[in-house]
Amino acid sequence: MSPINELSDITNRIINHEPFAFSRWGDGEWHNVDKRKGQNCDGNIYYEDLGDALLEVVSTRRDYDLGVQTLHPWSVQQAKKFDQNWGDSDVMHKASEKNQLQPLFDCLNNSYVIYIGNRSFSKLSFVDRLIEIPYNNVWLQKDILMDSIYSTFDYKFKVYCFAAGMASNVFIHEAWNRNNTNVYLDVGSVFDPYVGRKTRGYHKTIPHLRDM
């Protein structure tokens, strides 16, 4: 299995209805694994049991894609501690900065998309169904959320987009283990500016999004 290192690695698989999962590992996930106290930049708390679950996921070689935050060298160093076929978790971020995210919009608009995120994402044109979660700390609702996700499993090929913070990596892991015939994609904050929420510094510097 080749790691995901280009946006086309994602879009081509979706277009071809090729099932895959892609979870993204950055500073917040590593801080949680290391049992840091406090919260990340989005206000998501570093829960001890979430750290345990993340560590369990990353400690065993997986049959799906994991990406590391290549724009932050410290995250890359943390990833080297674990035997995974690491890809680049920043491929969507980099494409957005270059105004090259349209191929992802196109393939999602031609797919059945279930979006796991807060209510603001209902504005996205490609979302067929929103599984609404709170803006922060959805980890506290893990069992309810997973039941909601499992209830959507059927014969139809679907793309699940996760914007659920650090907990996304655990949710994706469990969903893939339950049903590996879909796509489970950790989109993080990449679509935030497209619904009027500039939650990352780079969102404010993207020329085509400055007036949104």
Side-chain angles (χ1 to χ4, degrees):
M1 178 178 62
S2 298
I4 289 174
N5 285 308
E6 302 288 342
L7 185 66
S8 60
D9 295 329
I10 294 173
T11 57
N12 288 342
R13 295 186 195 185
I14 294 175
I15 291 169
N16 293 325
H17 282 200
E18 179 182 342
F20 72 96
F22 185 41
S23 67
R24 301 164 58 249
W25 296 73
D27 292 4
E29 287 76 17
W30 299 128
H31 288 323
N32 211 154
V33 166
D34 290 341
K35 302 296 180 68
R36 174 176 288 202
K37 303 298 183 182
Q39 59 191 30
N40 71 358
C41 63
D42 295 316
N44 289 302
I45 293 171
Y46 298 130
Y47 293 106
E48 185 169 344
D49 57 342
L50 173 55
D52 291 337
L54 288 167
L55 180 60
E56 181 178 353
V57 170
V58 78
S59 294
T60 300
R61 182 77 173 233
R62 298 301 172 186
D63 64 345
Y64 58 84
D65 293 280
L66 283 74
V68 63
Q69 195 175 22
T70 57
L71 292 173
H72 292 273
W74 181 80
S75 289
V76 175
Q77 290 301 315
Q78 298 307 302
K80 289 179 179 179
K81 300 176 183 178
F82 301 96
D83 179 26
Q84 301 290 345
N85 189 25
W86 292 104
D88 183 358
S89 74
D90 290 320
V91 292
M92 290 177 283
H93 170 164
K94 293 172 181 175
S96 183
E97 282 192 299
K98 297 176 182 177
N99 195 17
Q100 295 175 354
L101 206 57
Q102 190 59 45
L104 182 58
F105 275 98
D106 290 343
C107 72
L108 292 176
N109 273 311
N110 289 308
S111 303
Y112 189 92
V113 175
I114 296 179
Y115 205 102
I116 296 90
N118 64 64
R119 66 182 64 181
S120 69
F121 294 110
S122 63
K123 302 173 186 177
L124 292 170
S125 63
F126 57 77
V127 174
D128 293 288
R129 176 173 175 177
L130 177 71
I131 297 180
E132 185 179 337
I133 61 174
Y135 281 83
N136 300 102
N137 301 313
V138 67
W139 178 248
L140 298 177
Q141 301 176 14
K142 173 182 178 291
D143 292 341
I144 295 173
L145 174 60
M146 294 311 301
D147 284 343
S148 295
I149 293 171
Y150 296 153
S151 71
T152 67
F153 289 167
D154 56 27
Y155 62 90
K156 186 174 183 177
F157 176 81
K158 301 181 181 73
V159 178
Y160 292 78
C161 292
F162 288 79
M166 300 172 291
S168 289
N169 297 15
V170 179
F171 301 154
I172 288 171
H173 174 74
E174 296 197 3
W176 177 259
N177 282 344
R178 177 69 70 95
N179 184 335
N180 63 0
T181 65
N182 296 303
V183 169
Y184 306 100
L185 180 62
D186 181 357
V187 296
S189 60
V190 72
F191 293 117
D192 285 12
Y194 296 90
V195 296
R197 301 182 66 242
K198 296 181 179 179
T199 59
R200 298 291 185 272
Y202 84 91
H203 292 163
K204 301 173 184 178
T205 65
I206 301 174
H208 63 287
L209 294 177
R210 283 177 181 165
D211 297 328
M212 292 186 69

